[in-house]
Amino acid sequence: MTEQRESRLLISAAVFLFIYAVILTLSPSVREHTWDVTYRLSHWLGYLIWAGAVFITYLVVSRRLPEHDPYLLPLASLLAGWGLLTIWRLDPGFGLRQTLWLVISLAAVSATLYLRWDLNFLRRYKYILLGAGLILTALTLLLGTNLTGFGQRRWLGCCGFYFQPSEPLKLILVVYLAAYLADRIPIRLRIFPLLLPTIFVTGLALLLLGVQRDLGTASIFIMLYSIILYLATGKRRVLIATTLTLLLAGLIGFYFIDIVHARIEAWLDPWSDPSGRSYQIIQSLLAVANGGIFGRGPGLGSPSLVPVALSDFIFTAIAEETGLIGTFGLLIIYGLLFARGLTASLHASEKFHRLLAAGITAYLGIQALLIIGGNLRLLPLTGVTLPFVSYGGSSLLTSFAALLVLLIISNHPDKEPAQIISLRPFFGLAAILGIGLIASSITNAWWAVIRAPDLLSRTDNPRRSISDRYVLRGELLDRNNQPIDLTQGSIGSYKRVYLYTQIAPITGYTHPVYGQAGLEGSLDDYLRGLQANPNLLIWWDQLLYGTPPPGLDVRLSIDLALQKQTDSLLGNLKGAVVLMNARTGEILVIASHPTYDPNKLDEIGSSLAQDPDSPLIDRAAQGLYPIGTAVNPLIDIISNGDGPTEEQVRNLYLMLGFYTTPQVRMPVGTAVTNIDIQNLRVSPLQMAVAAASLSNNGIRPVPRIALAVNTPQEGWIVLPALGQTNQILPADIANNLALHLAAQNHTYWEWTGLAQSNQEFYTWYLAGTLPNWQGTPLTVVILIEGNDPLMGQNIGRNLIQAATRP
């Protein structure tokens, strides 16, 4: 029955990995939406070797250990196979190496079982094993190397094969402590003299690891020492002392060791330096968020964006491509493995076996939880590997060596279990591991579901730009459906092209390095197909392709012909222009100069942010300028010719909307409410909305720039305004003021104002159609950075005359 159960579990694992391998093979076709692609095939070598090696190991284990736990080998094999396919997917070269190490590890398990030795060998030679482990670790200080070419030299080896002695040293420490303490159970008073040898050798190991700066392994050593001591003594103060020791070590490291300081800072506040010391953890969280609930699909995510995804961050690689469902399954597998390890411990026939099985379970559990917690920002990063899953020959070999010991210990169900003084320490260890798994699951769900929308919308999320290469992005069109921004190319090489670059400060860009700006950013959900498409379609494309559906075109209110004329008039001046339909709030022209060419961001992007002329800023909607005399005619009205009070002016500004941020689908400058009227600054867009009331019977409109979105089911759907119009002036007062400001022999009113701030001068020009105008009511506002009223008047008159021309 036991053998049948184990064989069924192994077959289930093989079927799961077979399906996984098939999806990996087909993933290029899914990504590019065509069958004419180069398929992934190399990982099948890894799968076939995994299947053969596991099958042979199963036969050997079944023959040599007929009463072993039937769950241990299938669980470990599934973890190893899952990790192996993930590594092949990330880098076939490393996948081949991991395959070779898997063969070596399983061959070592089988060969060891044929030698017919028992665990008393480990007990008798505990000092020799520990001494050998320490010597090998010490040799890395003299003969060690680093596979990356820089950093600490923690590996020994040559000819392409390298070994990290600190990995088996963890297992050796467990063996030594279990053997030493088993001879002294029950431990009574005067515990310190009995434990002095263990403290000495553990301290020596920690010293070596400290010199190597292998702080993750050092942390595991401290925790393993305390847990095994707790299992042997049952004294909870051991755990308390260990917790305090780790906190003290972390505090000392934070202030005196640069790598500890950097990792703790990155853990506490990763958002302050997302491209520097926190780059790894930020990218890890982005990968988890990108996976969501169902994942992008094997082969369809971008896990290689996370540094060291093969080893330190392989959990997030799995999370991105299999989602919350996949990582929950991974955590359940680990939970079952830990449970079977503790079960073997409680049924062990000898005290040494009991401590050894529990210690190995603690070793696997602590290492897994440390790396998973670090990937999820539940704990600081430690740089250890995920047992059975991560790339690394020494780690994989050590993990299977630990599995072998558990298999041997579990092979004596008919013998009476050794006497247990207290079950409390074992239940405590189970609680620690269980709480760690639950906390990891909750944290995983937090990043994958709750925080995912915020994370995925970050401009430093490179997965957005990768998706843009495979999914057609919607176009930005003017009011006459003339394209402004569009996407060209074919699947896998789509590229955003900006046809009219003079409007770049407003339309912005979407770029793999510099993120998004302008309308490309504010309308991204429509252009990317994540809004206005049916939810079922979005869900289906995300599930099937790991990407959103094709983006939707957005029609803007901009009149491209008038926009080009305006940009020509503005020329090389620094300033902004807004021409608006005074009744509907539709922005017909919005210009900001100087401008830039977003098609050349690869060449000029790094210098734009430092350009003293600030071409990236949309002066029309985001620039804030002093008001000066721009609204003096209105101030004269509210004061009846007398000098206005500060409260009257403030109430006027409030009524005009100067203290309100415009509600419009584009980036705008944020209005400041707690500032005196002398220092108040407004954007040309705010000024245009206020001035529109003189051409609209005293009604302040709501600005609009995105008019409609083209959906595949319903065609063009109107995007409503985001606010409500306001009657800010009685119609007769507004009309009389407009007529009072009327330009001689023209059908529009106009006013020129000046403002000054810190020796800088600014020119305002406001104009609009008169109340008796029979056409579309219009308002134009011009801001010039400088004292040039004639230029402002010339541009404004030319523009409004062109706009009102039949």
Side-chain angles (χ1 to χ4, degrees):
M1 181 65 71
T2 298
E3 186 175 348
Q4 290 180 354
R5 185 182 306 157
E6 186 173 34
S7 64
R8 288 176 185 149
L9 290 172
L10 286 171
I11 290 172
S12 299
V15 169
F16 169 78
L17 295 177
F18 177 82
I19 296 172
Y20 198 94
V22 169
I23 298 174
L24 277 179
T25 297
L26 297 176
S27 60
S29 175
V30 174
R31 182 182 284 274
E32 300 188 26
H33 300 196
T34 177
W35 296 107
D36 186 19
V37 296
T38 301
Y39 293 95
R40 299 178 189 267
L41 297 173
S42 59
H43 60 275
W44 283 104
L45 176 63
Y47 174 79
L48 293 174
I49 292 177
W50 170 88
V54 169
F55 177 69
I56 293 172
T57 305
Y58 160 69
L59 294 178
V60 173
V61 171
S62 299
R63 183 174 302 172
R64 295 296 179 181
L65 303 173
E67 302 298 331
H68 69 278
D69 188 303
Y71 296 95
L72 289 172
L73 182 61
L75 292 170
S77 299
L78 177 55
L79 289 172
W82 199 343
L84 182 66
L85 288 181
T86 303
I87 294 167
W88 274 97
R89 178 262 184 274
L90 290 168
D91 190 315
F94 284 99
L96 180 59
R97 291 187 179 190
Q98 187 76 349
T99 303
L100 293 176
W101 275 110
L102 178 65
V103 171
I104 292 171
S105 300
L106 292 175
V109 170
S110 299
T112 303
L113 289 175
Y114 270 103
L115 290 177
R116 295 183 178 277
W117 62 274
D118 58 27
L119 296 178
N120 287 326
F121 172 86
L122 300 177
R123 190 172 190 175
R124 286 194 303 270
Y125 297 103
K126 58 182 178 292
Y127 293 110
I128 295 177
L129 289 172
L130 183 61
L134 291 173
I135 291 172
L136 285 174
T137 304
L139 281 176
T140 60
L141 302 178
L142 300 175
L143 306 175
T145 185
N146 190 304
L147 303 182
T148 62
F150 60 90
Q152 298 301 311
R153 298 180 300 173
R154 300 172 184 166
W155 286 263
L156 295 174
C158 68
C159 307
F161 281 88
Y162 296 91
F163 190 71
Q164 188 175 0
S166 62
E167 283 294 335
L169 187 60
K170 288 177 280 192
L171 182 58
I172 292 172
L173 177 69
V174 172
V175 172
Y176 168 77
L177 291 174
Y180 180 86
L181 294 173
D183 293 334
R184 289 154 180 81
I185 293 176
I187 296 176
R188 303 187 185 280
L189 298 177
R190 303 187 65 184
I191 186 174
F192 182 76
L194 291 173
L195 298 180
L196 190 58
T198 67
I199 295 174
F200 173 76
V201 297
T202 305
L204 182 60
L206 289 173
L207 179 62
L208 289 173
L209 294 172
V211 174
Q212 281 190 329
R213 299 167 70 87
D214 192 351
L215 303 178
T217 301
S219 301
I220 293 176
F221 265 58
I222 295 174
M223 286 185 273
L224 281 177
Y225 181 81
S226 65
I227 287 176
I228 296 175
L229 187 57
Y230 172 59
L231 292 170
T233 65
K235 300 181 185 300
R236 282 179 293 185
R237 62 175 177 266
V238 174
L239 296 180
I240 297 173
T242 301
T243 303
L244 294 177
T245 301
L246 286 172
L247 290 175
L248 180 62
L251 190 63
I252 294 173
F254 181 76
Y255 287 104
F256 297 104
I257 303 176
D258 53 353
I259 188 173
V260 177
H261 181 87
R263 286 187 174 180
I264 292 179
E265 272 202 340
W267 173 53
L268 293 175
D269 184 19
W271 320 110
S272 61
D273 189 15
S275 60
R277 66 173 183 270
S278 304
Y279 181 78
Q280 282 183 299
I281 186 59
I282 291 294
Q283 293 303 317
S284 175
L285 298 180
L286 288 172
V288 174
N290 195 45
I293 296 176
F294 300 101
R296 301 300 92 194
L300 296 176
S302 303
S304 56
L305 292 172
V306 185
V308 206
L310 290 164
S311 57
D312 292 12
F313 287 91
I314 198 167
F315 177 82
T316 56
I318 293 172
E320 181 167 9
E321 300 206 327
T322 64
L324 197 60
I325 293 176
T327 50
F328 275 5
L330 189 72
L331 292 172
I332 289 171
I333 294 170
Y334 273 114
L336 292 173
L337 184 64
F338 303 155
R340 301 312 300 180
L342 287 175
T343 300
S345 172
L346 292 175
H347 288 88
S349 58
E350 298 181 24
K351 296 175 182 178
F352 168 58
H353 292 179
R354 174 169 294 136
L355 278 181
L356 183 56
I360 287 175
T361 303
Y363 150 61
L364 295 173
I366 289 171
Q367 182 151 322
L369 292 175
L370 276 180
I371 192 61
I372 292 172
N375 284 192
L376 296 172
R377 201 191 155 216
L378 182 62
L379 298 169
L381 287 174
T382 53
V384 295
T385 54
L386 190 59
F388 298 104
V389 179
S390 290
Y391 172 77
S394 48
S395 172
L396 188 63
L397 184 58
T398 304
S399 297
F400 273 103
L403 176 72
L404 172 62
V405 174
L406 289 178
L407 287 169
I408 294 173
I409 293 174
S410 70
N411 192 46
H412 303 288
D414 296 332
K415 292 185 179 181
E416 285 293 324
Q419 182 182 2
I420 300 178
I421 299 175
S422 174
L423 287 172
R424 187 175 64 183
F426 296 89
F427 289 155
L429 175 57
I432 291 171
L433 297 178
I435 291 171
L437 290 171
I438 292 172
S440 298
S441 300
I442 294 173
T443 307
N444 192 15
W446 168 258
W447 297 118
V449 179
I450 307 300
R451 288 296 308 278
D454 293 335
L455 287 172
L456 295 178
S457 63
R458 288 175 60 92
T459 57
D460 59 354
N461 177 16
R463 290 160 185 81
R464 296 158 60 91
S465 59
I466 292 174
S467 174
D468 285 343
R469 297 207 305 262
Y470 290 90
V471 181
L472 193 65
R473 186 174 176 83
E475 298 182 0
L476 285 178
L477 310 171
D478 87 331
R479 64 187 304 108
N480 299 310
N481 290 335
Q482 295 296 309
I484 300 174
D485 295 355
L486 51 76
T487 298
Q488 294 179 345
S490 57
I491 292 178
S493 60
Y494 282 136
K495 183 179 180 181
R496 197 65 167 171
V497 177
Y498 309 90
L499 299 182
Y500 183 60
T501 60
Q502 291 292 302
I503 200 176
I506 290 85
T507 54
Y509 53 79
T510 182
H511 191 272
V513 175
Y514 301 106
Q516 293 182 316
L519 291 170
E520 289 280 1
S522 61
L523 300 175
D524 183 65
D525 282 350
Y526 294 110
L527 298 172
R528 196 178 291 276
L530 293 173
Q531 193 168 342
N533 267 319
N535 290 332
L536 182 60
L537 176 63
I538 296 172
W539 176 84
W540 177 251
D541 277 56
Q542 293 280 17
L543 180 65
L544 187 60
Y545 304 117
T547 59
L552 306 179
D553 298 340
V554 178
R555 179 188 294 148
L556 304 178
S557 58
I558 292 170
D559 186 314
L560 202 52
L562 287 174
Q563 180 75 36
K564 291 179 179 179
Q565 186 171 349
T566 302
D567 287 315
S568 177
L569 290 169
L570 200 53
N572 294 324
L573 291 171
K574 292 183 183 179
V577 177
V578 178
L579 175 66
M580 177 183 293
N581 183 320
R583 180 178 298 120
T584 65
E586 295 174 13
I587 299 171
L588 304 176
V589 168
I590 180 166
S592 174
H593 283 213
T595 184
Y596 62 95
D597 187 350
N599 294 301
K600 299 179 180 179
L601 279 179
D602 289 333
E603 295 84 19
I604 65 175
S606 58
S607 62
L608 283 177
Q610 284 75 41
D611 192 325
D613 290 336
S614 303
L616 291 172
I617 295 177
D618 174 8
R619 286 168 161 81
Q622 295 175 296
L624 299 177
Y625 301 93
I627 298 170
T629 61
V631 293
N632 272 13
L634 287 171
I635 292 177
D636 291 340
I637 290 177
I638 63 170
S639 63
N640 295 320
D642 300 328
T645 65
E646 184 171 326
E647 183 177 359
Q648 286 177 318
V649 175
R650 182 178 178 84
N651 289 336
L652 173 66
Y653 288 175
L654 184 64
M655 182 174 60
L656 294 175
F658 291 169
Y659 291 102
T660 304
T661 301
Q663 299 299 302
V664 61
R665 291 180 175 86
M666 67 182 300
V668 295
T670 303
V672 181
T673 58
N674 57 346
I675 194 169
D676 58 82
I677 59 174
Q678 286 77 22
N679 294 312
L680 181 65
R681 283 166 168 72
V682 298
S683 67
L685 177 61
Q686 285 177 288
M687 188 66 76
V689 173
S693 60
L694 297 186
S695 297
N696 189 34
N697 298 312
I699 299 173
R700 190 184 73 201
V702 178
R704 296 179 63 201
I705 193 166
L707 296 184
V709 58
N710 191 14
T711 65
Q713 290 78 20
E714 303 177 49
W716 288 101
I717 295 178
V718 174
L719 297 174
L722 298 179
Q724 299 292 326
T725 59
N726 285 299
Q727 183 82 48
I728 63 173
L729 289 173
D732 57 337
I733 293 179
N735 293 338
N736 289 336
L737 180 57
L739 292 171
H740 175 70
L741 299 174
Q744 189 173 5
N745 299 324
H746 290 291
T747 57
Y748 54 85
W749 59 267
E750 63 180 354
W751 173 261
T752 302
L754 291 174
Q756 182 179 358
S757 176
N758 298 326
Q759 306 303 315
E760 297 288 338
F761 289 90
Y762 304 92
T763 300
W764 287 101
Y765 176 82
L766 285 64
T769 54
L770 294 172
N772 56 2
W773 171 249
Q774 298 301 309
T776 301
L778 301 172
T779 298
V780 63
V781 166
I782 298 171
L783 183 284
I784 296 176
E785 296 181 7
N787 187 354
D788 200 344
L790 290 178
M791 180 59 71
Q793 190 178 72
N794 177 61
I795 295 173
R797 287 180 174 179
N798 275 283
L799 180 56
I800 198 166
Q801 287 174 12
T804 56
R805 190 176 296 123

